[in-house]
Amino acid sequence: MKNIYMIGIGLIGGSFAIDFKKHNPEVVIHGISRKDETLNKALELNLIDKKATLEDLEKADLVVISIPVDATVKLLPTVLDKISDNTLVVDAGSTKEAICKVVEHHKRRRNFLACHPIAGTENSGPTAAISGLYKGKTNIICEVEKTTFKLQEKALDLFRAIGMRIRYMDPVSHDKHIAYVSHLSHISAFMLGKTVINKEKNERDIFDMAGSGFASTVRLAKSSPAMWTPIFKQNKENVIETLEEYINNLQQFKELMQQDNFSEIFNEMENTNYIKQILNGIK
């Protein structure tokens, strides 16, 4: 794992680059991006050591793809075409079914490990990369049995070295579960932000009255639409299913308000407090 090629040098790829280098200062991080200004910024921030292109991938020991999921689906087969037989390729996409499916019959499928690091912030681009982003975080790995064993072991050793926990899941289950715990929360934040913007035309009022509760709830609305639109598109069926349940719960809450049934509202909130036990230990 001496030569690591990062395709995408934003929050996810850049943070991986920082932690990989911190774990092993001798590695050489090569950056690949459609935008030269992104690579220049990554060089300036010492996220990468060198610029590279897809034609250089035959020299790679490890390739990390951390670009929007629609772009990953298009690019992944090409990446596998260009690597050597000993190269490991991993992705960091928030959906897994479409990504795994596009390479299921590729001759180098055994060189690919489908990953989803459950970590991030609402920020994007090279300047968003931070050290220690992955410490204590879960990395969901799908179809591990389809990756050659020696490359599995190298990947798992590297992820554990930077502090990640490993969880295994099939792609279909991953996409269904992640729609509830990640994709729905982003939609909620975006729509809460939209509701407040539409209602409060005076931005100064929003700024003056917004407390920590609003700020933390709407934080995800600052996330990149370029990243999240493809996620919603790829996981459309699961996202719609979760939205239907969420909208139904909101409608029921509204009806209880209309009925002045605040004792039941109290019960609803008290029962939902159980989420504290579920989330206990997540930092």
Side-chain angles (χ1 to χ4, degrees):
M1 296 294 178
K2 295 293 185 183
N3 286 295
I4 298 178
Y5 285 71
M6 312 296 301
I7 301 178
I9 321 289
L11 167 67
I12 298 301
S15 297
F16 266 133
I18 292 172
D19 285 355
F20 291 160
K21 195 82 167 181
K22 187 175 181 180
H23 171 63
N24 183 3
E26 294 182 2
V27 302
V28 179
I29 307 289
H30 307 256
I32 299 175
S33 175
R34 291 183 300 107
K35 299 178 181 179
D36 200 52
E37 58 264 36
T38 298
L39 295 179
N40 290 335
K41 177 58 71 172
L43 281 169
E44 178 187 328
L45 296 171
N46 294 316
L47 300 179
I48 63 175
D49 299 303
K50 299 179 180 180
K51 295 181 184 182
T53 70
L54 294 177
E55 303 308 314
D56 300 317
L57 292 181
E58 63 180 3
K59 307 169 191 173
D61 298 309
L62 170 66
V63 180
V64 179
I65 303 175
S66 53
I67 55 179
V69 290
D70 57 339
T72 299
V73 169
K74 293 178 181 177
L75 186 63
L76 180 56
T78 300
V79 171
L80 291 179
D81 286 340
K82 294 182 178 297
I83 61 171
S84 77
D85 289 335
N86 298 315
T87 303
L88 169 66
V89 178
V90 304
D91 82 302
S94 294
T95 57
K96 294 269 73 82
E97 186 177 6
I99 290 170
C100 289
K101 194 171 188 62
V102 76
V103 293
E104 62 180 340
H105 300 303
H106 196 284
K107 64 181 181 180
R108 290 204 176 101
R109 173 62 185 85
R110 66 187 181 277
N111 292 73
F112 172 61
L113 189 66
C115 303
H116 179 196
I118 309 296
T121 71
E122 69 275 21
N123 302 313
S124 58
T127 57
I130 54 176
S131 174
L133 177 67
Y134 301 105
K135 187 174 182 180
K137 300 300 193 302
T138 299
N139 194 359
I140 299 177
I141 295 177
C142 296
E143 297 186 337
V144 66
E145 72 282 356
K146 295 186 179 182
T147 307
T148 190
F149 183 74
K150 66 178 182 178
L151 294 180
Q152 286 180 36
E153 289 297 290
K154 287 182 179 181
L156 297 181
D157 287 347
L158 188 56
F159 290 139
R160 288 176 178 135
I162 63 174
M164 302 198 80
R165 300 187 297 259
I166 306 298
R167 174 84 185 269
Y168 300 98
M169 194 174 292
D170 69 89
V172 174
S173 296
H174 168 277
D175 287 4
K176 184 176 183 64
H177 296 322
I178 208 70
Y180 282 92
V181 298
S182 175
H183 301 172
L184 180 60
S185 59
H186 280 78
I187 294 172
S188 299
F190 277 116
M191 291 303 97
L192 174 59
K194 176 184 177 181
T195 302
V196 172
I197 290 170
N198 287 348
K199 191 68 175 177
E200 293 284 359
K201 299 303 182 183
N202 186 329
E203 294 184 8
R204 170 54 61 180
D205 287 344
I206 297 176
F207 181 81
D208 288 342
M209 297 177 67
S212 60
F214 175 79
S216 61
T217 305
V218 82
R219 174 181 64 86
L220 296 178
K222 295 184 284 184
S223 300
S224 168
M227 181 179 77
W228 279 97
T229 302
I231 290 172
F232 297 145
K233 183 178 180 180
Q234 282 195 12
N235 208 20
K236 173 183 172 181
E237 291 184 6
N238 289 318
V239 170
I240 289 175
E241 180 182 325
T242 63
L243 276 173
E244 287 174 346
E245 293 186 40
Y246 185 49
I247 291 168
N248 183 54
N249 283 328
L250 290 174
Q251 183 62 37
Q252 289 178 2
F253 194 94
K254 176 185 174 182
E255 290 172 0
L256 291 173
M257 292 279 288
Q258 291 171 330
Q259 298 162 7
D260 285 333
N261 193 347
F262 292 98
S263 61
E264 185 57 31
I265 286 176
F266 176 89
N267 291 335
E268 286 276 300
M269 292 190 294
E270 186 174 50
N271 291 336
T272 306
N273 275 168
Y274 179 66
I275 200 74
K276 289 189 289 188
Q277 297 182 45
I278 296 175
L279 297 178
N280 186 35
I282 296 180
K283 297 180 173 60

